[in-house]
């Protein structure tokens, strides 16, 4: 494939891996966090872990939108889906996320009209095709997907579609990163910055990480060579005693972000003062709701939802996994009570979740280069 | 990973998971979901946890694509399948053609030459006669191409809204080919894994034909009768051909996992050697789907003893439509029941069975 194969060239990959190997200091342990679930997925899919020296440890971060949805929000979604007048639409990986009383797939098997869509525009199309039904879109995602939800709502307003509404669960990546950096549990040496989020917000907002916390961050793409190059760039910074934000993903990420997308988001969304993150608890100013100007498209207001806070199952350690404090297989229920077929935690459900990635791709003893 | 105690714990967890994987499936779900029909783990649980124990039939318990029946010394093979594809027609084929080829292929990969078919139609009230006529013609043409006769049939009509236009059920009878010595549990370390051409065309064509994705690509279904392919590989490898499967729902990944479990062997697939057309690779990339899990309707996976692998591969490549056939990996000893992928970068990962249902109802 043009524009893809170039970033999967095994020869270049091996050269980058050799560069990483030559940069690390023997005897020093490097702990790097890949913030984004897409990176976690790519690392396992391409077996990139195998190429790194044993003293370079990759820690999975909180950047998987499905993983950070708390159970109470899933239950709110299911309550809406069960209303007879509602066609409930969501992305496929959301359908298997457990609430306190089953998943959206369970609700579908019990008669709820739950439909998988690939984009919010598909949900809007369903609303136009079924004017007699109420079509609800369960919006999730970081700054990556928020602009498409915002544009869809603008279009719904422009076209006068009144039977369409949205449950807004959009969250932002910077607040949990700050929370992680403030947490005493975890000592990280550097960050692989989330490429998709940065296409919208740019690389500049991450500058507080080197400035205030003295950790380098390199915004990276999602192809194997992107990730290897970003790791090499972080290690070079550490080796040279530098600490700054660098942009490996310049072919897609403008340093200042996508101003048009940010403008649309500012028009359609407003900050929620508090939002609960699965496993991470409440984080202030970390999520978006529909702005007052778009309140008539807010499904939570249109229908009312239970809005009950549900505690995570006691055995589930998604929070520690999301914070990178433990590895997936160190969770008490990993691979036993919690498997992709019968997941307890969201990290096991999402294809980008660290537990699912480890379970599906990585559960084979690895032989790694020794320094 | 740091520290030896950590590795020990990891090893223990991995061993618990693999033990759980190897245990017989138990069907405990409260309701049937789409995943039970998707060809992955939920389907396996349904078959092995409910059907097999209920019917207590040794022929069924072998879990082949067709059951063996012996009648007065004649070795026959019997199989049945239902087709519920939406849309009814798609680039490269239609439900009628699939219904013939799917059943004929289950016989062929069992090492049986297809002899006869039965046909059962469930029609939805309101179905245009023109649509029915087109499908009946497609069935006739596909049967003629596969060299089988439709020898019996049945028709039912259900109320509007109770079927997506039409469902087609076919049963196939075949005669075991004397050249074939196939067994899904007969794989041995060193055996080579071959695929009969590029993979993923059928599932991708169906997804795009639904028009829900707003994508367009020049991809047509691979639906075809596999008997000529099987005939050629049997000629080339004879008893060295250990097993075959057509890679329908769940794709090549599911076939490999099923046989790795059945033969208690490991498999290693070299990702770079798996033939995928640029169009399918591009669509799969956009949709976030791995072509190894996408359904095929005219591709088989063959397991061949190493000494016959070269001849078998040449035979596969010589069949029209099989030019891209390739050797994609081999059977190993450890870890039993597992399929591993070697990435182009030299990394390794596990390729497990499909869990959810990324492609609802495609065959």
């Amino acid at each position: 494939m043009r524009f893809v194969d170039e970033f999967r060239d095994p020869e270049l990959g091996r050269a980058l891996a050799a560069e990483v190997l030559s940069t690390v200091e023997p005897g020093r342990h490097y702990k790097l966090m890949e913030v984004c679930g897409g990176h976690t997925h790519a690392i396992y899919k391409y077996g990139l872990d195998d190429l790194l020296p044993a003293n370079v440890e990759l820690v999975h971060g909180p950047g998987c939108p499905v993983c950070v949805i708390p159970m109470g929000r899933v239950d709110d979604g299911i309550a809406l889906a069960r209303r007879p007048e509602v066609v409930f639409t969501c992305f496929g990986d959301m359908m298997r996320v457990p609430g306190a009383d089953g998943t959206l797939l369970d609700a579908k098997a019990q008669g709820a009209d739950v439909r998988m869509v690939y984009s919010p525009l598909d949900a809007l199309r369903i609303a136009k095709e079924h004017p007699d039904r109420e079509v609800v879109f369960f919006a999730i995602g970081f700054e990556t997907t928020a602009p498409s939800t915002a544009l869809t709502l603008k279009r719904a307003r422009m076209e006068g579609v009144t039977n369409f509404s949205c449950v807004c669960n959009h969250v932002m990546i910077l607040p949990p990163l700050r929370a992680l950096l403030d947490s005493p549990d975890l000592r990280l040496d550097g960050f692989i910055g989330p490429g998709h989020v940065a296409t919208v917000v740019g690389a500049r907002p991450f500058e507080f990480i080197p400035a205030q916390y003295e950790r380098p961050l390199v915004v990276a793409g999602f192809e194997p060579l992107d990730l290897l190059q970003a790791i090499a760039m972080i290690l070079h910074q550490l080796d040279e005693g530098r600490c700054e934000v660098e942009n490996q993903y310049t072919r897609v990420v403008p340093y200042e972000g996508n101003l048009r997308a940010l403008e649309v988001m500012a028009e359609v969304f407003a900050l929620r003062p508090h939002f609960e993150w699965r496993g991470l608890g409440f984080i202030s100013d970390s999520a978006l709701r529909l702005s007052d100007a778009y309140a008539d498209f807010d499904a939570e207001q249109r229908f009312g939802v239970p809005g009950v806070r549900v505690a995570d199952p006691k055995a589930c350690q998604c929070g520690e996994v999301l914070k990178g404090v433990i590895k997936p297989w160190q969770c008490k229920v990993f691979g036993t009570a919690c498997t992709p077929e019968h997941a307890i935690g969201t990290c096991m459900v999402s294809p980008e979740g660290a537990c699912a990635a480890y379970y599906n791709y990585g559960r084979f003893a690895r032989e790694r280069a020794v320094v | 990973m740091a520290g030896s105690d950590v590795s020990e714990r990891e090893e223990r967890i991995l061993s618990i998971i693999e033990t759980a994987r190897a245990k017989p499936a138990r069907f405990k779900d409260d309701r049937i979901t789409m995943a039970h029909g998707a060809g992955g783990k939920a389907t396996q649980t349904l078959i092995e946890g409910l059907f097999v124990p209920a019917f207590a039939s040794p022929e069924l318990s072998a879990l082949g694509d067709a059951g063996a029946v012996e009648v007065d010394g004649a070795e026959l093979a019997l199989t049945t399948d239902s087709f519920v594809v939406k849309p009814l027609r798609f680039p490269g084929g239609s439900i009628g053609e699939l219904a013939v080829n799917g059943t004929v292929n289950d016989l062929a990969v069992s090492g049986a030459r297809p002899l006869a078919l039965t046909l059962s139609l469930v029609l939805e009230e309101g179905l245009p006669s023109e649509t029915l006529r087109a499908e009946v013609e497609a069935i006739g043409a596909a049967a003629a191409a596969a060299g089988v006769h439709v020898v019996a049939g049945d028709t039912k009509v259900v109320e509007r809204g109770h079927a997506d236009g039409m469902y087609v059920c076919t049963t196939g009878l075949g005669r075991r080919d004397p050249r074939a010595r196939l067994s899904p549990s007969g794989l041995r370390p060193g055996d080579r894994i071959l695929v009969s051409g590029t993979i993923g065309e059928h599932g991708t064509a169906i997804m795009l034909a639904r028009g829900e994705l707003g994508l367009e690509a020049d991809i047509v279904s691979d639906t075809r009768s596999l008997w000529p392919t099987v005939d050629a590989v049997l000629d080339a490898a004879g008893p060295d051909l250990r097993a075959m499967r057509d890679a329908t729902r769940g794709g090549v990944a599911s076939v490999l996992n099923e046989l790795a479990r059945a033969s208690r062997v490991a498999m290693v697939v070299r990702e770079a050697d798996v033939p995928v057309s640029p169009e399918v690779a591009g669509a799969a990339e956009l949709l976030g789907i791995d072509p190894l899990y996408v359904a095929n309707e005219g591709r088989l996976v063959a397991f061949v003893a190493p000494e016959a692998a070269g001849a078998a591969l040449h035979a596969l490549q010589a069949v029209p439509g099989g030019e891209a056939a390739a050797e994609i990996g081999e059977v190993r000893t450890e870890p039993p029941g597992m399929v591993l992928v070697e990435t182009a970068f030299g990394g390794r990962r596990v390729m497990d069975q499909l869990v959810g249902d990324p492609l609802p109802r495609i065959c």
Side-chain angles (χ1 to χ4, degrees), chain B residues 48-94:
Chain B
E48 293 179 23
L50 183 64
F51 300 151
V52 168
F55 303 141
S57 131
E59 293 83 2
L60 181 65
S61 303
L63 293 178
D65 287 299
V69 186
E70 201 181 309
V71 182
D72 293 338
E75 289 188 40
L76 302 176
L78 192 63
T79 188
T80 189
D81 212 336
S82 304
F83 294 82
V84 292
V85 65
K86 190 164 79 174
L88 298 176
R89 298 196 80 83
F90 44 83
S94 72

Side-chain angles (χ1 to χ4, degrees), chain A residues 1 4 7-10 12-14 29 44-51 54 57 96 105-106 108-110 116 118 122 125 223-225 228 327 329-332 334-336 340-342 358-368, chain B residues 1-2 6-7 9-11 13-14 16-18 20-21 29 31-35 41 207 211-213 271 278 281-283 285 287 289-290 293 334-335 338 340 343-353 355-360:
Chain A
M1 275 174 294
V4 172
F7 300 98
R8 294 180 184 173
D9 182 334
L12 284 173
R14 277 189 278 275
H29 191 81
Y44 281 113
K45 184 176 171 197
Y46 295 103
L48 300 184
D49 248 14
D50 288 356
L51 304 184
E57 183 187 356
R96 295 194 300 121
L105 264 188
D106 295 331
K108 178 171 183 271
Q110 289 160 17
M116 182 176 85
Y118 283 85
D122 293 340
R125 179 176 47 78
E223 295 300 332
L225 293 190
L228 288 172
K327 297 286 182 190
W329 48 267
Q330 289 174 311
C331 170
K332 287 186 284 243
F334 176 83
T336 49
E341 303 96 273
H342 295 285
Y358 189 83
Y359 190 96
N360 288 326
Y361 289 145
R363 58 180 208 282
F364 180 66
R366 294 175 175 280
E367 292 160 17
R368 304 198 5 179
Chain B
M1 309 289 159
V6 171
S7 301
R9 192 188 143 83
E10 185 180 10
E11 291 287 325
I13 291 282
L14 294 179
I16 291 171
I17 295 173
E18 298 327 327
R21 253 173 67 86
D29 300 335
R31 282 172 195 271
I32 293 303
T33 66
M34 295 305 289
K41 282 188 187 175
M207 275 190 293
E212 293 165 358
L213 303 173
E271 197 167 37
E285 185 71 27
L287 300 171
I289 290 169
D290 186 339
Y293 290 92
E334 290 287 329
M338 297 282 282
L340 305 175
T343 73
F345 289 84
R348 284 207 281 189
R349 62 178 161 90
V350 173
M351 180 166 71
D352 206 351
Q353 273 177 296
V355 172
D357 185 14
L359 324 167

